[in-house]
Amino acid sequence: MTLVEHLAELRRRLFIALVAIAVGAVLAFIAYNRILAVLREPLCDFARRHENTSCRFLVTSPLDPFAIRLQIATYAGFVIASPVVFWQLWRFVAPGLHAHEKRYAVSFIISSIVLFAAGASLAYITAPKALDFLLQIGGSQLDVRLNPTRYLTLITLMIVAFGVSFEFPVFLVFLLLVGALSTRSLRRWRRYAAVGITIFAAVITPSQDPYTMLGMAVPMYLFYEASILIGRALRR
């Protein structure tokens, strides 16, 4: 393919991906109440255990409800359309790969989707503990009424942070396959990796609470050790 043909193919793939995101956003806009109920559940769980906390959000502007609905529709639209987006990315890249590279590429794409979903799920599971830490650290005299935009931003950032961090083994295995790293080096750097992962988890977690930090750091280090085993198996 010529450069112009590559650009035309890229435009086509981007157009399909954007249409999928738009369709996903429309579906999320319709299912707004159910999605909001799921995202609000960590706050409701905290409110059921603390009398000075409300499970309802505090809205101070007449424009906020519509803006919140658009915010949720946009975030959820990307999630709903993610399989189509990854498939279009694969269709664009696949013609330039060799047979053995295509075999690895499929595994990488599937692993990336599964790991991101696992990270997002763990973020949702640890969210109540994060709220416990954040909302109780100021004492019991505070009457907690949260702004929906800030709360949803926090939950979304946690999901994205965990999802991205769970791509760590995919990145390591890729470096092992291309020869940029070796399993011997990874074994030698174990102590430094543990410290680096802990610092990374402390910096990237938006809530900055110890529960979320440990919830991210421990799986990342386990992924580090798993990458060594996978690297050994692929080299045989």
Side-chain angles (χ1 to χ4, degrees), residues 58-81:
L58 177 64
V59 176
T60 58
S61 169
L63 298 178
D64 283 350
F66 185 68
I68 293 165
R69 191 160 189 157
L70 285 180
Q71 180 184 8
I72 290 180
T74 302
Y75 293 155
F78 278 100
V79 174
I80 295 172

Side-chain angles (χ1 to χ4, degrees), residues 189-201 217 221 224-225:
W189 296 340
R190 274 191 174 106
R191 294 181 181 179
Y192 303 105
V195 175
I197 287 171
T198 303
I199 295 174
F200 173 82
Y221 184 77
Y224 184 89
E225 294 291 342

Side-chain angles (χ1 to χ4, degrees), residues 146-204:
L146 297 185
N147 177 281
T149 301
R150 294 182 179 179
Y151 171 81
L152 293 173
T153 300
L154 173 64
I155 296 297
T156 303
L157 288 177
M158 286 182 61
I159 290 174
V160 172
F162 270 78
V164 171
S165 68
F166 270 48
E167 302 296 325
F168 184 50
V170 176
F171 177 69
L172 286 181
V173 172
F174 173 77
L175 293 179
L176 290 170
L177 286 176
V178 300
L181 282 178
S182 65
T183 54
R184 180 179 299 178
S185 299
L186 292 179
R187 292 197 305 271
R188 189 169 63 248
W189 296 340
R190 274 191 174 106
R191 294 181 181 179
Y192 303 105
V195 175
I197 287 171
T198 303
I199 295 174
F200 173 82
V203 172
I204 198 174

Side-chain angles (χ1 to χ4, degrees), residues 201-221:
V203 172
I204 198 174
T205 48
S207 59
Q208 301 294 314
D209 65 281
Y211 303 104
T212 306
M213 186 191 72
L214 289 175
M216 180 181 291
V218 172
M220 284 188 69
Y221 184 77

Side-chain angles (χ1 to χ4, degrees), residues 1-162:
M1 297 175 66
T2 64
L3 177 60
V4 175
E5 290 172 333
H6 274 295
L7 292 176
E9 180 68 8
L10 177 61
R11 182 180 62 183
R12 179 170 176 267
R13 299 301 172 191
L14 285 175
F15 177 77
I16 296 175
L18 290 175
V19 169
I21 293 172
V23 172
V26 170
L27 294 176
F29 191 89
I30 296 173
Y32 162 78
N33 289 322
R34 293 184 179 181
I35 297 174
L36 180 61
V38 172
L39 294 176
R40 195 183 62 166
E41 182 55 31
L43 176 62
C44 292
D45 179 69
F46 179 84
R48 284 191 289 266
R49 293 180 282 108
H50 299 84
E51 296 181 355
N52 63 330
T53 305
S54 174
C55 188
R56 299 178 64 84
F57 293 119
L58 177 64
V59 176
T60 58
S61 169
L63 298 178
D64 283 350
F66 185 68
I68 293 165
R69 191 160 189 157
L70 285 180
Q71 180 184 8
I72 290 180
T74 302
Y75 293 155
F78 278 100
V79 174
I80 295 172
S82 58
V84 178
V85 174
F86 277 108
W87 175 248
Q88 294 306 313
L89 176 63
W90 162 246
R91 291 294 301 273
F92 178 73
V93 174
L97 300 177
H98 297 293
H100 69 283
E101 292 173 333
K102 289 182 180 180
R103 181 185 60 187
Y104 285 130
V106 173
S107 300
F108 272 102
I109 291 175
I110 295 176
S111 300
S112 298
I113 295 174
V114 172
L115 287 172
F116 189 92
S121 300
L122 183 58
Y124 186 80
I125 292 172
T126 58
K129 286 293 184 181
L131 289 176
D132 276 341
F133 176 82
L134 295 173
L135 299 180
Q136 284 191 294
I137 197 170
S140 59
Q141 300 181 25
L142 299 179
D143 189 14
V144 179
R145 298 291 185 275
L146 297 185
N147 177 281
T149 301
R150 294 182 179 179
Y151 171 81
L152 293 173
T153 300
L154 173 64
I155 296 297
T156 303
L157 288 177
M158 286 182 61
I159 290 174
V160 172
F162 270 78

